């Protein structure tokens, strides 16, 4: 994978406090719901690497990075919702990569870069993953087994889950299993809602109850 | 079912990434419904999150304001410290000012009205010396005197 060069949003293009406040006020109910769910799912992705941090922490870190000028939002190029979603992805990825890296401790603010599109990337992206410790391995194995059990009688969900595990993107999954967009969307919703029902993803942002 | 060359970590990571990304590709209505199904009131949750983020902005601005106030106080303290270089008594200040106006290298800093010491009040002299101290000129004068220039 090629890491993008560090191109920061120019200071004159970066949003001001007033613009940030106005953008928060202007988020729609659908965008708030998506941010809530996306931050929760990113926390779910982290598993034990979240180290007790929640979806709220992810969202607040994204905002604090913006206020502290660690990240810059170019409002002309990217909407505020997209900026926050991108920041959440980047922060959760950095949390995962810096998890227990005792030999090479890094703080997130030290390594983050934002390009002119407002997309944040990290040089840590090119750092190879460490060998997982036993606790992580057990968590990964148990989570995969639990998901497999949950969808035992649902052949279509199993097909999508398998393709995802192999790294297929949505278009690739649809092509692989000859699914229409509607069929795919229905299956994905079913997967999400069953995982929520099983308590694997829902409410993670508020402490994982 | 899964290929042998992918680890559990890679499989789970790819699966959860796809699951998370599906939220961004989903319609607003469906995600709101997702939230509702988990027992969360979407409107109340949106209000809570908005309040949380606005509070973060407010706290940050307050911090920035406090930092600016602290920097200002520091600057004022520095200015007050500099004024201590001025002699404490009117007589001593008048003597220092007299030396200052006699030095040719500083004539550019003194207008004609300030060359007539008898017409200057103690306050005039004190205020002028404070300005000179702030500009660092008084310090240079004292250094020159010490060096015997």
């Amino acid at each position: 994978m090629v890491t993008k060069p560090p191109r920061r949003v120019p200071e004159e293009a970066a949003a001001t406090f007033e613009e940030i406040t106005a953008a928060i006020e202007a988020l729609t109910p659908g965008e708030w719901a998506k941010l809530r769910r996306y931050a929760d799912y990113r926390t779910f992705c982290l598993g034990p690497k979240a180290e007790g941090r929640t979806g709220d922490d992810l969202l607040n870190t994204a905002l604090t990075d913006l206020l502290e000028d660690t990240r810059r939002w170019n409002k002309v190029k990217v909407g505020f919702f997209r900026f926050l979603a991108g920041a959440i992805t980047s922060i959760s990825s950095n949390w995962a990569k810096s998890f227990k890296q005792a030999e090479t401790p890094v703080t997130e603010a030290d390594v983050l870069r934002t390009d002119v599109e407002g997309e944040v990337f990290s040089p840590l992206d090119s750092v190879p993953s460490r060998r997982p410790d036993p606790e992580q391995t057990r968590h990964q194995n148990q989570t995969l087994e639990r998901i497999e059990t949950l969808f035992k009688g649902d052949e279509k969900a199993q097909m999508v889950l398998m393709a995802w595990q192999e790294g297929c993107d949505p278009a690739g999954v649809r092509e692989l299993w000859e699914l229409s967009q509607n069929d795919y969307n229905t299956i994905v919703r079913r997967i999400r809602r069953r995982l929520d029902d099983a308590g694997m993803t829902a409410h993670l942002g508020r402490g994982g109850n | 079912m899964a290929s042998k060359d992918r680890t559990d970590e890679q499989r789970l990571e790819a699966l959860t990434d796809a699951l998370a990304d599906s939220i961004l590709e989903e319609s607003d209505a469906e995600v709101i419904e997702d939230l509702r199904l988990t027992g969360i009131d979407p409107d109340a949750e949106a209000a809570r999150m908005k309040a949380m983020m606005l509070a973060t902005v407010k706290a940050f601005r307050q911090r920035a304001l406090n930092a600016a106030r602290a920097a200002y106080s520091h600057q004022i303290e520095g200015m007050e410290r500099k004024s201590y270089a001025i002699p404490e008594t009117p007589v001593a200040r008048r003597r220092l000012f007299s030396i200052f106006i006699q030095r040719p290298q500083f004539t550019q800093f003194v207008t004609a009205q300030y060359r007539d010491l008898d017409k200057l009040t103690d306050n005039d002299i004190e205020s002028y010396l404070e300005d000179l101290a702030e500009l660092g000129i008084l310090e240079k004068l004292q250094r020159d005197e010490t060096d015997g220039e």
Side-chain angles (χ1 to χ4, degrees):
Chain A
M1 195 181 96
V2 178
T3 304
K4 286 185 188 176
R7 287 189 299 149
R8 226 166 129 65
V9 173
E11 196 171 351
E12 62 274 14
T16 62
F17 276 159
E18 287 71 24
E19 287 166 341
I20 294 166
T21 304
I24 293 170
E25 298 275 9
L27 284 169
T28 66
E31 288 171 332
W32 283 117
K34 282 187 173 181
L35 286 172
R36 156 84 295 132
R37 296 286 286 162
Y38 188 62
D40 284 354
Y41 272 86
R42 280 285 149 203
T43 315
F44 171 58
C45 296
L46 284 169
K49 293 176 188 173
E51 294 184 294
R53 289 172 292 207
T54 66
D56 276 356
D57 293 328
L58 264 178
L59 199 56
N60 254 327
T61 304
L63 180 61
T64 308
D65 280 358
L66 178 61
L67 296 170
E68 287 177 345
D69 203 29
T70 305
R71 293 168 195 274
R72 284 182 185 166
W73 166 45
N74 186 341
K75 64 183 194 308
V76 177
K77 299 204 169 189
V78 188
F80 190 56
F81 168 75
R82 280 284 155 191
F83 166 81
L84 285 176
I88 286 170
T89 310
S90 168
I91 292 162
S92 60
S93 167
N94 291 330
W95 284 355
K97 290 199 164 80
S98 59
F99 176 65
K100 288 183 181 173
Q101 282 183 320
E103 300 84 6
T104 53
V106 286
T107 61
E108 198 178 328
D110 289 339
V111 298
L112 290 179
R113 300 287 184 276
T114 309
D115 67 18
V116 289
E117 305 296 325
E119 286 177 25
V120 177
F121 74 98
S122 166
L124 285 173
D125 289 345
S126 57
V127 175
S129 297
R130 292 161 50 255
R131 180 186 288 265
D133 67 20
E135 186 202 349
Q136 285 180 60
T137 308
R138 193 168 51 250
H139 164 80
Q140 287 150 7
N141 187 268
Q142 285 174 349
T143 307
L144 284 169
E145 273 181 12
R146 203 167 161 206
I147 292 172
E148 206 171 307
T149 308
L150 269 178
F151 294 95
K152 212 151 208 158
D154 188 338
E155 194 186 341
K156 289 200 167 170
Q158 282 181 30
M159 286 155 63
V160 170
L161 287 166
M162 191 197 80
W164 279 350
Q165 288 177 50
E166 295 306 311
C168 292
D169 62 13
V173 178
R174 288 194 296 272
E175 191 187 336
L176 179 67
W177 301 118
E178 296 178 340
L179 295 169
S180 69
Q181 180 76 55
N182 269 348
D183 286 345
Y184 176 78
N185 290 349
T186 305
I187 296 164
V188 172
R189 271 171 219 144
R190 198 160 68 234
I191 290 171
R192 276 204 314 266
R193 287 169 189 178
R194 197 168 299 169
L195 289 171
D196 288 345
D197 279 347
M200 293 184 74
T201 54
H203 311 296
L204 276 170
R206 301 169 96 171
N209 51 322
Chain B
M1 187 164 93
S3 65
K4 296 262 191 296
D5 56 348
R6 286 176 79 85
T7 63
D8 281 355
E9 182 178 26
Q10 290 169 326
R11 289 167 56 217
L12 184 61
E13 210 169 275
L15 186 154
T16 53
D17 277 351
L19 203 55
D21 289 345
S22 77
I23 296 290
L24 300 180
E25 290 153 16
E26 188 58 275
S27 70
D28 288 2
E30 289 294 344
V31 179
I32 287 173
E33 184 58 17
D34 272 11
L35 259 191
R36 220 173 251 129
L37 289 171
T38 60
I40 295 174
D41 174 353
D43 292 335
E45 185 60 4
R48 184 192 71 81
M49 290 169 70
K50 186 189 278 190
M52 177 186 79
M53 289 183 74
L54 290 175
T56 300
V57 176
K58 191 177 170 187
F60 187 86
R61 294 192 79 159
Q62 193 60 48
R63 257 203 327 270
L65 194 64
N66 289 343
R69 279 194 188 125
Y72 176 73
S73 300
H74 185 72
Q75 196 181 353
I76 294 296
E77 274 173 29
M79 286 166 70
E80 283 169 354
R81 265 200 305 276
K82 278 182 187 171
S83 70
Y84 294 145
I86 300 169
E88 285 183 14
T89 65
V91 174
R93 285 197 289 268
R94 195 166 281 270
R95 194 182 308 126
L96 177 63
F97 192 72
S98 165
I99 294 168
F100 174 73
I101 59 173
Q102 287 167 34
R103 294 290 176 268
Q105 68 267 39
F106 298 120
T107 51
Q108 59 178 313
F109 298 107
V110 189
T111 55
Q113 70 175 97
Y114 277 93
R115 291 205 182 94
D116 190 352
L117 268 178
D118 293 339
K119 287 184 180 167
L120 296 175
T121 66
D122 288 343
N123 273 346
D124 289 339
I125 291 174
E126 184 178 6
S127 155
Y128 205 94
L129 286 175
E130 278 173 359
D131 290 346
L132 292 171
E134 184 58 33
L135 292 168
I137 294 165
L138 208 56
E139 197 184 344
K140 183 168 173 18
L141 170 68
Q142 286 166 339
R143 207 169 45 236
D144 290 351
E145 291 301 305
T146 311
D147 293 347
E149 277 184 27

